[in-house]
Amino acid sequence: SAVISQKPSRDICQRGTSLTIQCQVDSQVTMMFWYRQQPGQSLTLIATANQGSEATYESGFVIDKFPISRPNLTFSTLTVSNMSPEDSSIYLCSAVIGQSNTGELFFGEGSRLTVL
Amino acid sequence: GNSVTQMEGPVTLSEEAFLTINCTYTATGYPSLFWYVQYPGEGLQLLLKATKADDKGSNKGFEATYRKETTSFHLEKGSVQVSDSAVYFCALRGPNDYKLSFGAGTTVTVRA
């Protein structure tokens, strides 16, 4: 199995500030993704992190609000910009280990953000 | 598009009771199906999966069978323990896709 390390694991942030979450995978990665899990809800895909190029965002998510980097195969960052209380969520990094359409998807333990 | 409909919770059971969580899906072609579990304070973990029709995934006493005819992947466990208390998510990945679509999650609480 793979180990996906995320930091920070949790943070309390002030409205209007930005926070960057880092994700490091210890295995050979095919794909990397960022998900959001709002309180009491399911997971929603924010974007696919593409190595060396702009991320691919899902409907309802934009680069200005959630800039993502992936400078190499095993590392990615997600920034939550200009935060408001509605951004209070768990943000999860995930990675496919193995072939894109058959490999297993692993998750980090998440970064729990609370915006005051 | 792909979607997953999962039985709503919360579900509260006594130890050794039988657990079923219903999951049905909508997809084109033959998707892969998954159950993920999120224990309190922990990250999401893959519990079991099935990649083709009639496959049965199993792990930790849990089972789910991929039923193409009913587009279902219900999760079952014959005798639950307190340690099974968690949120369970059904998920789907399309046949030529890499993204997962998740159900809403079902919170299960097992009382001693």
Side-chain angles (χ1 to χ4, degrees), chain A residues 7-95:
Chain A
K7 57 180 181 181
S9 58
R10 58 178 64 233
D11 207 340
I12 299 173
C13 309
Q14 297 299 316
R15 181 194 297 262
T17 63
S18 299
L19 182 79
T20 296
I21 303 166
Q22 297 181 3
C23 176
Q24 178 72 54
V25 186
D26 73 345
S27 302
Q28 199 67 12
V29 176
T30 307
M31 310 286 292
M32 289 185 77
F33 308 93
W34 287 96
Y35 284 83
R36 181 175 72 183
Q37 186 179 19
Q38 293 177 298
Q41 297 190 30
S42 188
L43 283 77
T44 302
L45 181 62
I46 297 172
T48 303
N50 298 311
Q51 184 191 358
S53 64
E54 189 174 295
T56 305
Y57 289 85
E58 298 298 307
S59 176
F61 297 96
V62 295
I63 187 171
D64 289 346
K65 176 66 176 177
F66 297 102
I68 289 170
S69 78
R70 187 180 172 193
N72 59 53
L73 265 180
T74 60
F75 182 79
S76 179
T77 67
L78 167 74
T79 299
V80 186
S81 303
N82 188 26
M83 286 184 284
S84 66
E86 293 71 34
D87 294 319
S88 297
S89 290
I90 300 173
Y91 292 86
L92 295 124
C93 174
S94 66

Side-chain angles (χ1 to χ4, degrees), chain A residues 31 33 35 37 40-43 45 48 56 58 90 92 96 100-110, chain B residues 32 34 36 38 41-46 49 87 89 93-105:
Chain A
M31 310 286 292
F33 308 93
Y35 284 83
Q37 186 179 19
Q41 297 190 30
S42 188
L43 283 77
L45 181 62
T48 303
T56 305
E58 298 298 307
I90 300 173
L92 295 124
V96 175
S100 301
N101 60 348
T102 59
E104 184 172 333
L105 186 67
F106 290 88
F107 285 84
E109 292 193 356
Chain B
S32 295
F34 306 83
Y36 281 83
Q38 187 174 36
E42 298 185 17
L44 216 60
Q45 304 172 26
L46 177 65
K49 67 178 181 182
V87 183
F89 293 93
R93 181 170 64 202
N96 296 306
D97 202 351
Y98 47 79
K99 297 183 287 187
L100 285 180
S101 299
F102 284 88

